[in-house]
Amino acid sequence: MIRPLLVRGMLVGLAAGVLAFAFAFVFGKPQVQHAIDFEDYLARLHHEPAEAELVSRGVQRTLGLLTGTVVMGIALGGLFSLVFAWAYGRIGAMSPRLTAAVLALGAYLTVTVVPFTKYPANPPTIGNAATIDKRTILFLTMIAIAILAAVAAARLRRELLGRLRAWNAALVAVAAFVVVVAAAELILPAVHETPQGFPADVLYRFRLASLGINLTLWTTIGLGFGAAAQRLLVPSEARRSGVPGSAEPA
């Protein structure tokens, strides 16, 4: 059953990548262009020679952007299907649709939103080239901490269910997650490399667009894969139970 789920996950990821490209092209591309214009202005102000472009900006904004979102969508869709295959039936008596939706929401929060609160997205023209490795490691570290904290919180909730009501156990687990994430954000170093005079509205809109692109990806993967998994898994479960035509509720 893993292979059919993986294929469906990658196909849904492909569709998610295309939709993310459309969102990025409409809402993100203008902010990137504003950031490029600001960089060009600083270069002219300091009489710096223009750097040769290996790939034209027109290609970067169209084919390059589409390639990036599609590859990312396919990769995330494949990984999501593997996580779903492990989690289905283990995180509660939920249908495939609901399981996929819960996993997609958790992925958006842990992979995108939580790291964003410490290291928000910046336009490609912001940042010192010499610190790109350090910034990448810090961002990936924050993602890893958020994921591990979420897994630990889920296990804590499950262990507390025997002693506390479900709602109270969930509150304790969420509180533990927040404490771990807050401690990590206090310990990890901050990154402040926005050049002086950079338009605040451009930075704000770019970051909103970044959140929107990721929301488009995870929403499409969660809902699309959930529908595909529902059609794949529910009929086979009905056949095994010997109830013809039975269907699992969404």
Side-chain angles (χ1 to χ4, degrees):
M1 191 58 70
I2 298 293
R3 184 176 178 182
L5 288 174
L6 180 61
V7 171
R8 284 161 174 77
M10 295 177 70
L11 290 175
V12 171
L14 172 63
V18 173
L19 290 177
F21 163 75
F23 188 98
F25 190 83
V26 173
F27 297 102
K29 182 178 74 67
Q31 313 314 319
V32 173
Q33 186 59 52
H34 291 321
I36 292 173
D37 293 342
F38 179 80
E39 185 181 43
D40 291 342
Y41 166 75
L42 290 181
R44 291 193 303 268
L45 188 66
H46 295 90
H47 306 288
E48 297 176 356
E51 297 182 0
E53 294 181 351
L54 298 177
V55 180
S56 70
R57 287 174 179 172
V59 173
Q60 294 176 30
R61 291 192 296 262
T62 53
L63 184 60
L65 179 61
L66 175 62
T67 301
T69 56
V70 166
V71 170
M72 182 169 63
I74 293 174
L76 291 178
L79 289 173
F80 185 85
S81 67
L82 297 178
V83 174
F84 174 90
W86 174 85
Y88 181 53
R90 288 185 171 92
I91 61 174
M94 297 184 289
S95 69
R97 277 197 183 99
L98 184 55
T99 301
V102 169
L103 290 177
L105 176 61
Y108 180 65
L109 292 176
T110 56
V111 176
T112 300
V113 175
V114 171
F116 187 92
T117 60
K118 179 66 177 182
Y119 302 114
N122 288 324
T125 56
I126 290 182
N128 186 350
T131 64
I132 187 170
D133 291 338
K134 175 185 176 182
R135 287 183 281 122
T136 301
I137 291 173
L138 288 174
F139 183 71
L140 293 178
T141 299
M142 194 65 234
I143 291 178
I145 291 173
I147 293 175
L148 292 175
V151 172
R155 293 189 62 178
L156 176 62
R157 175 188 174 276
R158 190 162 56 247
E159 292 177 2
L160 291 176
L161 285 177
R163 289 173 281 174
L164 300 175
R165 294 180 181 270
W167 177 252
N168 292 333
L171 288 179
V172 172
V174 170
F177 174 80
V178 171
V179 168
V180 171
V181 169
E185 293 194 355
L186 289 173
I187 294 172
L188 292 175
V191 176
H192 301 294
E193 296 185 353
T194 304
Q196 186 177 5
F198 190 88
D201 61 328
V202 173
L203 186 60
Y204 172 75
R205 290 170 185 167
F206 177 85
R207 289 175 174 175
L208 280 183
S210 175
L211 289 174
I213 292 168
N214 283 278
L215 180 61
T216 301
L217 270 171
W218 287 115
T219 300
T220 305
I221 290 174
L223 298 181
F225 182 82
Q230 185 86 9
R231 289 193 295 269
L232 175 68
L233 298 176
V234 170
S236 62
E237 291 176 359
R239 286 195 296 271
R240 285 198 299 271
S241 64
V243 183
S246 66
E248 185 177 339

